[in-house]
Amino acid sequence: DRQLGQAAADARRAGLNIGIMRDLALGVSPDGADAWMHQQAFANGLRCGAPPDHFHPHGQEWGVVTFNPLALRRDYSPFVAMVRANMRHAGGLRIDHIVGLQRQFVVPLGEPPGNGGYLNFPREELFAILALESRRGSCLLLGEDLGTVPEGFREHMRARAMLSCAVLYFEREGDSRFRSRGDYPAQSIATVATHDLPTLVGYWEGRDITVRRRVGIFSATEAEQAQQNRLDDCRRLGEALASAGFPLPALADGTQPAPAELVDAVHCFLATSSARLFLAQLDDLLGEVDQINVPGTVDTYPNWRRKLSLDVEAPALANAIARLARLCREQGRG
């Protein structure tokens, strides 16, 4: 808490008008302090997850427990306490899997994800609490509205001035072309990826598809089709960058661009988008190829254990951040 407070104070002195943006997880560890202190508030026999889709054909079970919506309606204080704790020292709060405020896919303990179902939550009350605490804490709100999103949910977010998550990989037109930079939602934060998705270089090289085949998420046929689709997507991304004035020169002779060229072009593209905020990841600035987390895996992938390729004190890391700042200034993104 002292470290976060000091970092927030340093950010304010440096003139950062948001400062620290913290991240609120969608659930808690079933054997953690929250679940022990508020045992009646959580749905202890269920685990959060996601239904089968094209991204994870077998569905996902994440090993975390969510609130019991019936218990919440009797007493919202555990939710309020969680929100306040995570807004402390923060100028912004990113809410992971925000659709869980309306409905959360849950899996009975010990069952496969295909046997799961949805729990409905008191959306209006939870959004009202977030709005009130956001005002009290002077903390902007960003909702990660990815995956299977209920109809009308994003409109509900916009009506409450909550930023949505505009991820490069998913911002597409109906024909699968990448959305032009001027068509990004104004009330959003533009980013290449999230912690649950491949890094930019890993995406370009199809590294995530190889991993999903290795850990059993994809069959050989599914992986082969995904690799072909990825080649098409890389071509489309190159076309979108070129149309925006940030071409990848190395593509002209049929070769792959260097990671630095790709990262610079994509960051310039997002920095000039119509999204209100632009978020860059250290993983992408450093050209990391392996993603930090593969959802739906437990012991088949080293989730949350891969370190950056550089120490935080390394001059090359500071240089990468300085380069991003220069690119943003050149493109008019403060």
Side-chain angles (χ1 to χ4, degrees):
D1 183 76
R2 287 194 299 270
Q3 290 175 329
L4 281 171
Q6 184 63 54
D10 289 346
R12 286 192 297 271
R13 281 194 293 271
L16 301 180
N17 55 5
I18 294 177
I20 294 176
M21 179 176 287
R22 297 183 61 178
D23 190 278
L24 176 61
L26 71 101
V28 303
S29 172
D31 56 0
D34 300 75
W36 176 253
M37 289 187 295
H38 305 289
Q39 295 180 35
Q40 302 306 313
F42 291 95
N44 293 301
L46 303 171
R47 297 293 181 264
C48 297
D53 56 23
H54 72 282
F55 199 66
H56 279 272
H58 308 296
Q60 303 172 56
E61 195 262 83
W62 300 323
V64 296
V65 63
T66 188
F67 286 110
N68 178 335
L70 299 179
L72 267 187
R73 299 207 73 153
R74 292 191 293 268
D75 179 11
Y76 286 103
S77 61
F79 181 79
V80 173
M82 179 185 69
V83 171
R84 287 180 181 172
N86 282 273
M87 285 185 176
R88 185 170 165 81
H89 305 308
L93 182 65
R94 175 191 178 276
I95 303 172
D96 194 41
H97 193 66
I98 193 170
V99 295
L101 297 183
Q102 176 170 328
R103 68 179 191 186
Q104 174 62 58
F105 189 83
V106 291
V107 182
L109 198 59
E111 293 289 326
N115 290 348
Y118 283 102
L119 283 180
N120 289 326
F121 279 76
R123 182 186 70 178
E124 298 302 322
E125 290 91 334
L126 298 179
F127 265 87
I129 290 170
L130 283 172
L132 179 60
E133 296 302 326
S134 170
R135 274 294 196 181
R136 286 174 169 169
S138 299
C139 182
L140 69 82
L141 294 173
L142 162 66
E144 189 227 13
D145 53 336
L146 304 176
T148 306
V149 180
E151 186 176 351
F153 188 87
R154 291 191 174 99
E155 290 75 12
H156 197 77
M157 289 176 59
R158 284 197 292 270
R160 284 147 186 80
M162 186 181 292
L163 299 178
S164 63
C165 196
V167 175
L168 172 73
Y169 303 151
F170 304 141
E171 289 298 310
R172 306 295 188 97
E173 303 295 350
D175 57 1
S176 296
R177 286 181 300 116
F178 281 84
R179 180 171 291 174
S180 67
R181 55 183 175 164
D183 291 334
Y184 271 57
Q187 198 169 301
S188 71
I189 182 167
T191 180
V192 172
T194 73
H195 55 264
D196 290 333
L197 296 170
T199 65
L200 179 56
V201 175
Y203 177 89
W204 190 266
E205 296 178 355
R207 181 70 65 94
D208 58 306
I209 298 171
T210 301
V211 168
R212 281 188 273 175
R213 171 70 182 105
R214 188 176 72 235
V215 302
I217 294 174
F218 280 167
S219 67
T221 301
E222 289 168 335
E224 183 179 357
Q225 183 59 56
Q227 288 287 11
Q228 183 56 56
N229 293 341
R230 183 62 53 82
L231 290 174
D232 293 338
D233 283 341
C234 289
R235 174 183 53 79
R236 295 185 184 106
L237 179 56
E239 292 171 351
L241 295 173
S243 297
F246 309 114
L248 299 173
L251 291 178
D253 61 3
T255 60
Q256 295 276 14
E261 294 174 340
L262 174 67
V263 170
D264 284 355
V266 167
H267 283 161
C268 285
F269 178 86
L270 292 178
T272 54
S273 75
S274 50
R276 183 177 177 186
L277 297 179
F278 161 48
L279 174 69
Q281 301 185 122
L282 285 178
D283 285 346
D284 293 329
L285 294 178
L286 299 180
E288 304 287 358
V289 295
D290 293 319
Q291 65 194 84
I292 194 69
N293 181 53
V294 177
T297 61
V298 178
D299 53 9
T300 54
Y301 188 83
N303 293 315
W304 305 109
R305 281 177 274 171
R306 191 264 292 150
K307 297 182 179 181
L308 289 176
S309 56
L310 294 176
D311 291 337
V312 292
E313 298 88 356
L317 179 56
N319 292 340
I321 295 173
R323 181 177 180 81
L324 174 70
R326 179 178 61 78
L327 289 175
C328 286
R329 284 195 301 271
E330 291 174 352
Q331 303 304 329
R333 177 74 71 168

